[in-house]
């Protein structure tokens, strides 16, 4: 069987060394079988292996091959729809427990990096950037909301010279600084988490695509050359689930977003982002960027509904980068790649069970770095018998996309176009 390699990203080119993890052969038993070695699967696996469970992870490609090894590497708190939207749609009782957890994912992530000494260029500090006065008001509302929920370490800056000390671009009318945000090398985080799981006795089989999951008190998870018999299964395949569980695929839509990496910029790098914080703007279709450990600018943005792989990533993202930093017009782009995140209609994660002992979590809708770390912990709690916090997410309704598999792409693109127009008008 041919092996699926990492996409040609800057992250793959600068990945830490990792052991070969052979494909599953034959029949093995486990307490928990996890399908997918992204942050969701690895985070849950660590939580369970630390608690003494025998964990086997099956990954169709390699650790971190999906969004977890390709993303912007930005630590963003809360959920893709913020807690005020959750409260207004579903009421205070539903929002309350989620609000109490909205900053916990970043703690899980940082805790793992510290505990296991993961080398992933982790740096503190993030910035949300607004391009118009109206958008600055939205940042102020954002600050007030997070403060209500206990996050007191935010500051809103509108003075131009102060802003330039953080992000040296003419583009912005205001910056909301979050010292508890941050950024890191995403693939190296995934590889470090895989090693942490293995240190706790977990086993990871790469190149082991799951083809079928048989339900039952002991579930049987099949690959081409083997099976895992397990008391519990976690499906953590997100945007790359394909045909494995049609119910999960039907409630969500894979979307592509693209990233480029410049050549190393030397001293120019800190002229662009003197703070070395990560940055994302607060447009509906947002741009996100930061410096890498070796002083490249990593710049991402754009959304392709339905997740086709574009042929020329650089031609899509470079113009966005030059709007923010025109001084980079002669700089060479060394890497360009695409990755898929999973959009849900509500833009809230979909969490639940397919049967008594088969769990799933998917659909962070673009902001999944912290949520995947949180939900890994909550999946661990649920399987160990305390499903209260997991249940707080599982209670959120899941909606099918209008238009089904054929028309969900144009319908969603049409909706997004409306928001994009509003952003262009600065409202
Ligand atoms: C380009 C990009 C930039 C992003 N930037 C940010 C950011 O800066 N901050 C942020 O918060 N979020 C960001 N996100 C979102 C974030 O990366 C994701 O929400 C998160 O990584 C999802 O993790 P996951 O483990 O659920 O899924 P994934 O990391 O996609 O992992 C799923 C895994 O399941 C495996 N799999 C699928 N089917 C099977 C099968 N049948 N058998 C075995 N294995 C299977 C896949 O190979 C894959 O490795 C970004 C996403 C992308 C694509």
């Amino acid at each position: 069987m041919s092996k699926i390699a990492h996409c040609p990203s800057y992250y793959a080119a600068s990945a830490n060394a990792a052991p070969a993890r052979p494909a599953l052969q034959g029949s093995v038993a486990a307490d928990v079988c996890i399908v997918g070695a992204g942050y969701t699967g690895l985070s849950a696996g660590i939580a369970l292996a630390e608690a003494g469970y025998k964990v086997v992870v099956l990954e169709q490609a390699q650790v971190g091959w999906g969004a977890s090894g390709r993303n912007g590497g930005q630590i963003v708190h809360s959920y893709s729809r913020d807690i005020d939207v959750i409260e207004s749609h579903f009421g205070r009782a539903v929002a309350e427990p989620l609000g109490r957890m909205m900053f916990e994912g970043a703690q899980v992530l940082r805790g793992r990096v510290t505990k296991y000494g993961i080398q992933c260029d982790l740096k503190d500090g993030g910035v949300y950037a607004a391009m118009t006065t109206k958008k600055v008001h939205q940042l102020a509302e954002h600050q007030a909301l997070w403060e209500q929920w206990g996050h007191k370490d935010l500051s809103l800056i509108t003075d131009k010279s102060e802003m330039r000390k953080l992000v040296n671009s003419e583009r912005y009318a205001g910056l909301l600084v979050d010292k508890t945000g941050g950024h890191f090398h995403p693939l190296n985080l995934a590889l470090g988490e895989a090693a942490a799981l293995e240190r706790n006795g977990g086993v990871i089989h790469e190149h082991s695509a799951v083809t079928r999951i048989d339900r039952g008190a002991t579930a049987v998870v099949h690959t081409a050359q083997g099976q895992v018999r397990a008391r519990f299964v976690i499906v953590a395949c997100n945007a790359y689930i394909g045909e494995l569980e049609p119910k999960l695929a039907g409630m969500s839509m894979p979307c592509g977003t693209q990233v480029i990496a410049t050549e190393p910029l030397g001293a120019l790098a800190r002229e662009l982002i003197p703070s070395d914080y990560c940055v994302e703007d607060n447009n509906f279709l947002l741009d996100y960027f930061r410096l890498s450990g070796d002083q490249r600018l990593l710049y991402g943005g754009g959304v392709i509904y339905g997740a086709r792989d574009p042929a020329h990533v650089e031609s899509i993202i470079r113009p966005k980068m030059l709007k923010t930093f025109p001084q980079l017009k002669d700089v060479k782009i060394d890497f360009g790649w695409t990755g898929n995140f999973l959009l849900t209609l509500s833009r809230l994660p979909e969490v639940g069970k397919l049967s008594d002992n088969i769990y799933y979590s998917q659909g962070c809708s673009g902001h999944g770095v912290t949520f995947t770390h949180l939900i890994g912990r909550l999946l661990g709690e649920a399987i160990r018998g305390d499903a209260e916090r997991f249940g707080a997410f599982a209670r959120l309704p899941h909606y099918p996309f209008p238009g089904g598999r054929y028309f969900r792409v144009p319908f969603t693109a049409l909706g997004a176009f409306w928001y994009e127009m509003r952003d262009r008008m600065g409202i």
Side-chain angles (χ1 to χ4, degrees):
M1 203 177 65
S2 67
K3 293 185 172 178
I4 308 174
H6 282 295
C7 75
S9 69
Y10 160 69
Y11 302 133
S14 55
N16 295 333
R21 298 183 166 105
L24 177 71
Q25 303 279 349
S27 187
V28 300
D31 296 318
V32 187
C33 178
I34 298 175
V35 189
Y39 300 145
T40 302
L42 295 170
S43 178
I46 293 171
L48 287 157
E50 282 176 341
Y53 282 68
K54 182 172 180 204
V55 175
V56 173
V57 177
L58 300 175
E59 164 57 48
Q60 65 178 356
Q62 299 178 53
V63 166
W65 176 86
S68 300
R70 312 180 188 205
N71 63 65
Q74 307 214 0
I75 297 176
V76 180
H77 297 296
S78 190
Y79 316 109
S80 258
R81 279 298 178 90
D82 218 334
I83 197 71
D84 54 338
V85 179
I86 297 176
E87 184 168 352
S88 71
H89 280 58
F90 307 114
R92 184 78 186 177
V94 171
E96 184 92 54
L98 306 192
R100 283 199 297 271
M101 293 186 264
M102 63 199 253
F103 307 113
E104 190 174 328
Q107 291 165 11
V108 176
L109 187 159
R110 286 195 166 92
R112 296 255 164 82
V113 169
T114 306
K115 179 171 178 183
Y116 294 104
I118 297 174
Q119 300 299 315
C120 62
D121 303 330
L122 177 61
K123 290 180 186 153
D124 290 337
V127 162
Y128 302 96
M131 292 180 198
T132 63
T133 310
K134 178 98 184 180
K135 291 274 180 188
V136 175
H137 290 147
Q138 291 172 8
L139 288 184
E141 286 165 15
H142 183 138
Q143 177 180 14
L145 177 71
W146 282 14
E147 283 177 356
Q148 274 171 35
W149 288 92
H151 185 348
K152 307 288 183 199
D153 209 359
L154 297 161
S155 46
L156 184 61
I157 298 175
T158 51
D159 176 84
K160 285 266 176 200
S161 65
E162 288 303 308
M163 285 198 287
R164 300 286 287 265
K165 289 181 195 161
L166 297 166
V167 186
N168 195 4
S169 171
E170 295 286 353
R171 247 186 140 181
Y172 304 120
L175 301 178
L176 181 63
V177 182
D178 182 356
K179 295 229 171 83
T180 70
H183 59 101
F184 59 90
H185 186 304
L187 180 55
N188 282 339
L189 176 66
L191 292 170
E193 291 183 329
L197 172 57
E198 289 165 336
R199 258 172 69 179
N200 285 285
V203 175
I204 301 171
H205 293 286
E206 296 183 327
H207 310 296
S208 301
V210 171
T211 51
R212 193 174 88 232
I213 305 172
D214 293 341
R215 279 36 171 181
T218 298
V220 186
V221 183
H222 297 263
T223 69
Q225 292 159 321
Q227 304 93 38
V228 181
R229 297 173 187 281
R231 287 197 290 135
F232 301 97
V233 177
I234 298 174
V235 181
C237 302
N238 211 41
Y240 293 96
I241 192 161
E243 303 298 323
L244 179 62
E245 287 289 341
K247 181 182 165 200
L248 298 185
M251 348 192 261
S252 56
M253 178 166 64
C255 295
T257 167
Q258 291 74 46
V259 185
I260 55 175
T262 65
E263 61 186 316
L265 298 175
L268 174 61
R270 292 299 280 269
E271 285 174 31
L272 304 176
I273 312 181
S275 59
D276 203 4
Y277 290 175
C278 61
V279 185
E280 69 171 43
D281 66 47
N282 67 344
N283 283 341
F284 182 75
L285 296 182
L286 53 85
D287 286 7
Y288 48 93
F289 53 92
R290 66 186 184 90
L291 300 177
S292 64
D294 62 353
Q295 307 298 294
R296 299 166 191 269
L297 182 71
L298 307 187
Y299 202 103
V303 171
I304 297 183
Y305 296 101
R308 286 167 294 105
D309 275 10
H312 301 292
V313 169
E314 182 178 336
S315 66
I316 301 172
I317 304 300
R318 189 186 173 95
K320 294 174 188 285
M321 178 186 81
L322 293 181
K323 274 192 187 164
T324 307
F325 296 119
Q327 58 271 50
L328 296 182
K329 67 178 177 13
D330 297 323
V331 157
K332 192 166 149 274
I333 303 302
D334 279 350
F335 301 92
W337 66 95
T338 192
N340 296 344
F341 66 92
L342 193 68
L343 187 71
T344 66
L345 195 64
S346 64
R347 289 184 165 64
L348 289 167
E350 292 170 336
V351 168
K353 285 178 167 195
L354 292 169
S355 68
D356 278 352
N357 54 353
I358 303 181
Y359 293 73
Y360 65 87
S361 173
Q362 64 173 19
C364 305
S365 303
H367 276 160
V369 161
T370 55
F371 179 76
T372 50
H373 284 82
L374 171 67
I375 199 67
R377 176 182 275 182
L378 306 190
L379 282 159
E381 289 173 6
I383 286 176
R384 285 156 57 206
D386 177 2
E388 192 181 333
R389 299 202 313 154
F390 176 82
F393 284 99
R395 266 199 299 280
L396 293 172
H398 305 167
Y399 307 104
F401 263 92
R405 291 189 91 164
Y406 296 106
F407 293 105
R408 62 189 179 176
V409 172
F411 279 15
T412 311
L414 202 63
F417 181 69
W418 159 250
Y419 286 102
E420 202 185 342
M421 285 300 107
R422 286 169 58 96
D423 283 341
R424 285 193 188 168
M425 291 185 282
I427 55 177

